[in-house]
Amino acid sequence: MAKVQLKNLQKRFNDVKVLHGIDLDIQHGEFVVLVGESGCGKSTLLRLLAGLEEISDGELLIDDVVVNHQPPAKRGIAMVFQSYALYPHMSVFKNMAFGLKIAGASKADMQKKVEEAARKLKIDHLLHRLPRELSGGQRQRVAIGRAIVRDPKVFLFDEPLSNLDASLRVQTRVELGKLHQELGATIVYVTHDQVEAMTLGDKIVVMNGGRIEQCGAPLSLYHHPKTLFVAQFIGSPKMNVLAGQVQQASATGVSVMLECGVLAEVAVDGSQLQSGDPVSLGIRPEHLSLGTELPTCFAGEVTLTEELGEATYVYTSNGAGQDLVLKVDGHEEIAVHSQIRFGFKAGMAHLFDKDGMALPRLLKS
Amino acid sequence: MKALFFDRSQPATGGWQRGAQTGKALAVHAVLLTYTVIALFPILLVLINSLKSRKAIFRDPLGLPSLDTLNLGGFEQVLLRSDFGLYACNSLVVTILAVGLVLLLGAMAAWALTEYRFRGNLLLAFLFAMGIMIPIRLGTVSILNLMVQLHLVNTLTALVLVYIAQGLPLAVYILSEFIRTIPKELKEAARCDGISEYKIFFAVILPLLRPAMATVAVFTMIPIWNDLWFPLILAPGEESRTITLGVQQFVGQYVTDWNAVLSSLTLAIVPVLVLYLIFSRQLIRGLTAGAVK
Ligand SMILES: Nc1ncnc2c1ncn2[C@@H]1O[C@H](COP(=O)(O)OP(=O)(O)OP(=O)(O)O)[C@@H](O)[C@H]1O
Ligand SMILES: [Mg+2]
């Protein structure tokens, strides 16, 4: 367990700036999930924390000690790589014990720690095998085990589950969650998977182009994204966005004339807005519902349906740039090419100004 | 052989396809067999003639030894009346030391050159590359001078040193290429585990280099074992002769004791064959399997 503080952390590769000043506080035992588009610098940030890359500027503190120039082992971190990176010529036991052995642990101590970790991860029957004799999921667990035995202050995970198949992924995800509770360790976790981010994280950090776009609890990011980028990034399928102009704005609501010709009512604080301002309206697929009685209503032709069983994603278009996805109950029968009408309640939508900044939502709660 | 052909053609279903496949397999085998025969023929010739009497060698060089032509006089001459044991020992010592040091130093240099960025890195790599292209024999005169000044003439040390210089460039080149294919996460995981750079090299990288090192060992070993040039120039003394040089004592200006020459050549094949077998066992592919997905 440890507290990690990042103060204006920067990274340049030669002249290319990859991280532009990251400020982040990670509490004792917190599970922080880093998300962001490919190439936005998540792995780089993790490698800075681990000490595998030199920090170009700024300060990194672990438990209030500046560790900028400490080698990885001194920082008390353990990293689990996407590719597992097990030592191929060593048995599972040796893989897990290697770090301990180098650190000068006694044989009995080593045995005890490795066996304990192996039991936790349910790989105790595999200890004598070589990595190449294991399945992907088992290798993954060995990699995690190798991190656990060293009893690090901070765990760093770089997309640890992305090589696993769907069911194993869910299983390992649940196990990771349990493990976090059991160990109470501080964890920084990179993922591309929405569900992993939402379920595992105490805090999600959304990165964009080497900067932190927003950071907060999963649900607060979902309900109150600060920017259009975050709004579109969190949630799957991603939020529908429609361009429009403010027609009437007040502190209790805004009416927006959308480019597709629909007048939309949005429950946000619009005291900053003038009528005529360009805005973007965001509405999540799960907040659009079928019907004609809603305050804001659309009509469109179904172009595609994705039936997942419990829910169906319906892709619609009105042929004039209004392409919307809605999530409906799996029992609804919707034919492709049929015309449907749907809409949303004023409280469900998000509104962003021309810079992509969200306007404060007026949720009833 | 038959089973091999059918194995190859199994996936094909159509009759003509099978025919084409078999034809291809036949052609490949024919080429390989021809090559094998050509390559092995001289060795076979040495072997059979070493067992024949001198007259039989000249009368019928290609004939197999028969009861009345069988003659082990050559072996007798070599084993009992010359210092063959000493020569073989010298050759073995020089080869093993040189190959061992080439492997160790080559792997270390390759690791340093690929893993660490330092001043002069590129220059060093370039110099090693030059070493591959320029034959070391061009520098024989200076090498001899150097050895004379170091008082190393007629010692095995001189040979070992020269062979290290001769083998190192290619070793560094091959091993660097191989080290580049080792996933960097492996080294990083080791660094996170708190393992020192030396330990990373010896405990993590070196075991993974085994197949490549075996290749390098074979490539390095054969020219050293077969070399006549440097033993002749640097270590012609009775005590420091290697096999190839030792054989020369049977080659006279007027008479050549062919039985002895062929017998000692036959015997000289054995140790190098054993070494080759040892190294080739290491040439197991897929050693990195399971490290990363
Ligand atoms: N060693 C390097 N030299 C130069 N540029 C680099 C280096 N490593 C990473 N970069 C650049 O830094 C940026 C961030 O890379 P990084 O690997 O952190 O992305 P990421 O967010 O982890 O992406 P992904 O989700 O695809 O893993 C990329 O644009 C990449 O090209
Ligand atoms: Mg990455």
Side-chain angles (χ1 to χ4, degrees), chain A residues 5-21:
Chain A
Q5 285 164 293
L6 287 65
K7 293 189 180 159
N8 191 27
L9 218 57
Q10 299 186 13
K11 179 65 192 173
R12 282 183 300 269
F13 287 111
N14 301 321
D15 288 334
V16 187
K17 209 160 181 185
V18 174
L19 294 177
H20 307 260

Side-chain angles (χ1 to χ4, degrees), chain A residues 38-39 41-44 82 158-159 190 192:
Chain A
S38 192
K42 304 179 299 288
S43 299
T44 307
Q82 177 176 357
D158 196 351
E159 306 187 29
V190 172
H192 274 129

